[in-house]
Amino acid sequence: MAENNDLMKANPPGILLIRSIRRIDWSLKTYKYVVLLITFIAYTSYHASRKPSSIVKSVLHPHQFLNETVTNPWPMGPLFVKREISGHIDLGKSKKKGWEPFNGEDGTSKLGEIDVAFLACYSMGMYVAGHLGDSLDLRLFLATGMIGSGIFVGLFGMGYFWNIHAFWFYLVMQMVAGLFQATGWPCVVAVIGNWFGKRKRGLIMGIWNAHTSVGNISGSLMAAAVLEHGWGWSFIVPGAFIFFAGIMVYLLLPAYPEDVGFPCPNQPYVEDSSQTNDEEAQTVKENVAVNGQFNVPRIGSNRTSVGLLDACLIPGVIPFALCLFFSKLVAYTFLYWLPFYLSQTAIGGEYVAVKSAGNLSALFDVGGIVGGILAGHLSDKLDARATTAASFMYAAIPSMLLYRKYGGTSKFMNILLMMIAGLFVNGPYALITTAVSADLGTHSSLKGDSRALATVTSIIDGTGSMGAALGPLLTGFLSSKGWDAVFIMLVVGALSAGLLLSRLVLFELSEKFSRRLACGQLNSEDSASQPLLRDRR
C-alpha cells in the first residue's frame, strides 16, 4: 500500500488523468516524445524570461532622442526600421528619456551590474540546485523554480507601473530571479539523461537544445512586441510564460522512467532502450488493473545522490567546466548586449530602431540552432566531444572578428555574419551543457547511478555561469571605451575555451590513432594468413 502511495506521488497528476481516461498507458517511445516536448518548452520559457533585460537596455538608457515609427514587430512588420536622430541630450539632466536610475552617465555600468547580479546568483545557486535536484523529486523542484522565476521576473516589470526608481529594487528582483532560475538547467538535463541512453545522444540533445535559441528568439519577440505599451510589459509577458510553463511541468512531466514503469536506460542491464520498446510498453499495459488503478513498479527506487566533490573527480568534469566558463562568457555577452550593440552601431549607414535591434538579434540564435545540431551530430559521428567543442571555439574567433569589421557594411552582411558567429559561438556551448554533461553524469565510474546527472550538470553549468556573469559585467565597462575592446575580450574568451580542452583533445586523437593502428595491424594479419590457409587446403 505504501508503495502505491509513493507511486501516486511520483506520477504527474496530468498523466494519471490521461491514463484514467484512455484506460491504457503510453508506450516508451511516446513517453520519450512527451519528455522531450515538455522539457523543450520548459527551458524555452527560461531563456525567454532572461531576454527582456537586453531588449529594454536602449529604453532604460537611451543615448539620443529617437523617432521610431514601427507599429508591428518583425516578422509581422519590417525587420529593419530606420532610426531618426533629432539631437543629442545630456543624460544626467534629462527627465523625459530613459528610466531612473539607469538614464545617467553611469547607466551602462548599472545595467551591467543588474546582469551580473542575476548571473552571479544564478551560478552560485546552480551548485546547490544540482545537488537538491538529485536528492528531491525533479518534477516538483523544476516546477517550483519556474513558478518562482515567473513571479520575480514579473515583479521587475511591475517597477514600471509602480513608478519605482530605486536601484536596489531592480537589483534584488534580479538576484532572487537568478536563484530560482538556477533550478532549470540541472533538472532538465537530468530528466533527459534519465530517459535517453548514450546512443545518438549528441544529435538528440543538439536538436533538443534548440530550446535555448528558440527561447531567446521568442523572448526577444515577446519583449519587443509589447515594448511600446511600456517597458514593464516586456518583463511581465515572458514572466507569465514561464509561470504557466511551470504549471504544465507539474501536471505532465514524468521525471524518471521508473516512475511510470520503465527501466532506466543507464542501467547496465538495459542494452539499448530503443530495442525494448515493445516489451516494456506491453509490460506497462499489463499493469492496468480492472478497477482503473495502475500498479506500476518503481524500478531502482533506492537512488542515492553523489556529492559535489565526488562529482568533480569524474574524469573530464573540471576541464569541460572551465571551458564552459569562457564559452558562456562569450555566448552570454551576445545574449545580453547584442541588441544594445545593434542599436548603437550603424548598419549600411543607418541606425536601427530599438525594436528592430531586438528582432535582428534573434537571427544570432537562428545560427545557434544550426550550430547546436551540427556540433551534436559531429561529436556523435566522430565520437569526439572535446575535439568538436574546441574546433568550434577556434572557428568562432575569425567569425566574430569578421562580424565586427564587416557587419556594418550592409544589412545582408550583418545578418550573414551574425548567423555564422552564432553557429560557432553557440555550438560548443550547446554541446557541453547537454550531451557532455549527460555523458559525464552517467559515467562508468558511477556504476550506473544516474543520480549524479543533476550534480554534474550543476558543476559544469554553474562554473560556466560564472563566466556568463563576468562577460556582461565587463561589457558594461568596456563598451564605454569602444566596442573594439569588447570584441577583443570575446576573442580572448573563445581562445581560452579552446585551449582548456587541449589535453582532452590530444587524448581523443591519440585514442583514435591507436584504434586505427590496431585495426590496420589486424587487417594485415588477416590478409597474411589467407595464403597459409590456402596452402593448408
Side-chain angles (χ1 to χ4, degrees):
M1 183 63 109
E3 186 177 344
N4 288 336
N5 289 335
D6 291 339
L7 177 64
M8 293 295 289
K9 292 178 182 178
N11 273 275
I15 297 292
L16 291 175
L17 178 62
I18 293 171
R19 280 177 170 177
S20 64
I21 294 173
R22 295 181 73 242
R23 307 296 299 168
I24 190 171
D25 200 10
W26 287 330
S27 67
L28 177 64
K29 183 179 290 187
T30 302
Y31 270 115
K32 285 186 174 184
Y33 285 138
V34 169
V35 168
L36 282 174
L37 178 62
I38 294 176
T39 52
F40 186 95
I41 295 173
Y43 215 71
T44 293
S45 68
Y46 269 103
H47 263 263
S49 66
R50 296 174 195 171
K51 195 65 178 176
S53 63
S54 67
I55 300 299
V56 303
K57 274 186 171 72
S58 296
V59 175
L60 299 176
H61 179 68
H63 282 270
Q64 296 155 320
F65 283 113
L66 309 177
N67 181 16
E68 301 176 4
T69 57
V70 61
T71 55
N72 293 314
W74 175 82
M76 285 77 75
L79 175 59
F80 284 94
V81 178
K82 183 178 178 180
R83 189 178 77 181
E84 298 178 8
I85 304 173
S86 57
H88 187 75
I89 64 171
D90 184 353
L91 294 174
K93 298 179 181 179
S94 174
K95 295 182 180 179
K96 295 182 178 180
K97 288 291 179 180
W99 188 268
E100 271 189 64
F102 305 107
N103 62 348
E105 293 180 357
D106 61 344
T108 54
S109 297
K110 286 187 174 180
L111 289 169
E113 290 170 16
I114 287 288
D115 290 341
V116 78
F118 172 87
L119 292 168
C121 290
Y122 175 78
S123 61
M124 290 187 293
M126 185 79 71
Y127 295 101
V128 179
H131 186 67
L132 289 176
D134 280 332
S135 305
L136 304 175
D137 188 287
L138 282 172
R139 174 177 60 89
L140 298 178
F141 191 54
L142 178 59
T144 301
M146 295 176 70
I147 292 171
S149 297
I151 291 172
F152 282 94
V153 170
L155 285 175
F156 189 101
M158 288 303 297
Y160 170 82
F161 299 99
W162 293 337
N163 201 30
I164 296 176
H165 297 279
F167 178 67
W168 67 264
F169 172 82
Y170 300 103
L171 191 67
V172 170
M173 291 303 104
Q174 285 288 75
M175 291 172 69
V176 179
L179 290 174
F180 275 106
Q181 293 248 333
T183 61
W185 192 241
C187 289
V188 294
V189 172
V191 170
I192 293 298
N194 288 336
W195 278 93
F196 293 88
K198 292 187 177 181
R199 185 172 177 266
K200 293 186 178 180
R201 179 177 276 169
L203 178 60
I204 291 172
M205 285 194 158
I207 298 172
W208 171 77
N209 193 66
H211 54 53
T212 300
S213 297
V214 172
N216 292 338
I217 293 170
S218 60
S220 297
L221 296 180
M222 282 190 286
V226 296
L227 188 60
E228 62 186 332
H229 302 294
W231 63 261
W233 286 109
S234 295
F235 286 87
I236 292 173
V237 173
F241 177 31
I242 190 172
F243 182 91
F244 288 109
I247 295 175
M248 178 195 66
V249 165
Y250 171 76
L251 294 174
L252 294 171
L253 179 65
Y256 307 98
E258 306 97 296
D259 291 339
V260 286
F262 295 102
C264 176
N266 297 314
Q267 296 294 337
Y269 55 80
V270 179
E271 294 181 1
D272 187 348
S273 60
S274 64
Q275 296 175 358
T276 59
N277 286 356
D278 295 336
E279 292 182 73
E280 293 171 12
Q282 184 63 34
T283 300
V284 175
K285 290 177 183 178
E286 291 172 355
N287 286 323
V288 181
V290 178
N291 297 329
Q293 296 179 346
F294 291 78
N295 181 23
V296 186
R298 293 191 70 180
I299 301 171
S301 59
N302 295 323
R303 293 179 291 251
T304 57
S305 60
V306 173
L308 285 173
L309 181 59
D310 293 332
C312 287
L313 296 177
I314 297 172
V317 168
I318 297 301
F320 275 113
L322 294 175
C323 171
L324 191 63
F325 176 92
F326 290 100
S327 179
K328 287 192 77 168
L329 182 150
V330 176
Y332 268 65
T333 298
F334 278 99
L335 172 66
Y336 279 92
W337 284 94
L338 183 57
F340 186 80
Y341 171 75
L342 290 168
S343 68
Q344 305 302 322
T345 306
I347 302 175
E350 299 177 353
Y351 287 86
V352 298
V354 175
K355 277 189 176 182
S356 293
N359 297 330
L360 181 60
S361 68
L363 297 176
F364 178 86
D365 292 292
V366 173
I369 294 174
V370 179
I373 296 172
L374 184 61
H377 177 65
L378 288 176
S379 69
D380 277 343
K381 205 78 173 174
L382 302 174
D383 192 22
R385 308 282 198 216
T387 304
T388 304
S391 300
F392 270 67
M393 290 311 307
Y394 292 138
I397 295 174
S399 68
M400 290 188 295
L401 292 176
L402 287 171
Y403 178 66
R404 171 59 183 161
K405 186 170 184 179
Y406 299 107
T409 56
S410 68
K411 298 171 183 176
F412 172 77
M413 286 298 294
N414 190 285
I415 292 174
L416 177 63
L417 294 175
M418 184 194 304
M419 293 178 70
I420 293 174
L423 185 151
F424 289 116
V425 167
N426 283 354
Y429 162 41
L431 177 65
I432 295 171
T433 54
T434 54
V436 170
S437 295
D439 287 350
L440 297 176
T442 55
H443 196 266
S444 57
S445 62
L446 297 170
K447 298 178 181 179
D449 184 6
S450 63
R451 294 291 275 182
L453 272 166
T455 303
V456 168
T457 302
S458 69
I459 292 171
I460 293 176
D461 203 48
T463 304
S465 296
M466 292 182 183
L470 182 62
L473 176 65
L474 292 176
T475 303
F477 294 103
L478 293 176
S479 60
S480 60
K481 303 180 183 296
W483 288 102
D484 287 337
V486 175
F487 276 83
I488 290 173
M489 176 194 74
L490 297 175
V491 167
V492 172
L495 179 62
S496 301
L499 291 175
L500 282 165
L501 293 180
S502 297
R503 186 176 177 181
L504 294 176
V505 169
L506 290 175
F507 175 77
E508 287 180 348
L509 294 178
S510 62
E511 192 177 43
K512 284 187 172 299
F513 179 76
S514 299
R515 287 178 183 174
R516 288 187 178 182
L517 190 63
C519 289
Q521 290 177 349
L522 195 63
N523 291 334
S524 62
E525 290 175 0
D526 289 342
S527 59
S529 64
Q530 292 299 321
L532 294 175
L533 291 173
R534 284 196 295 267
D535 292 340
R536 287 178 181 177
R537 289 174 183 174

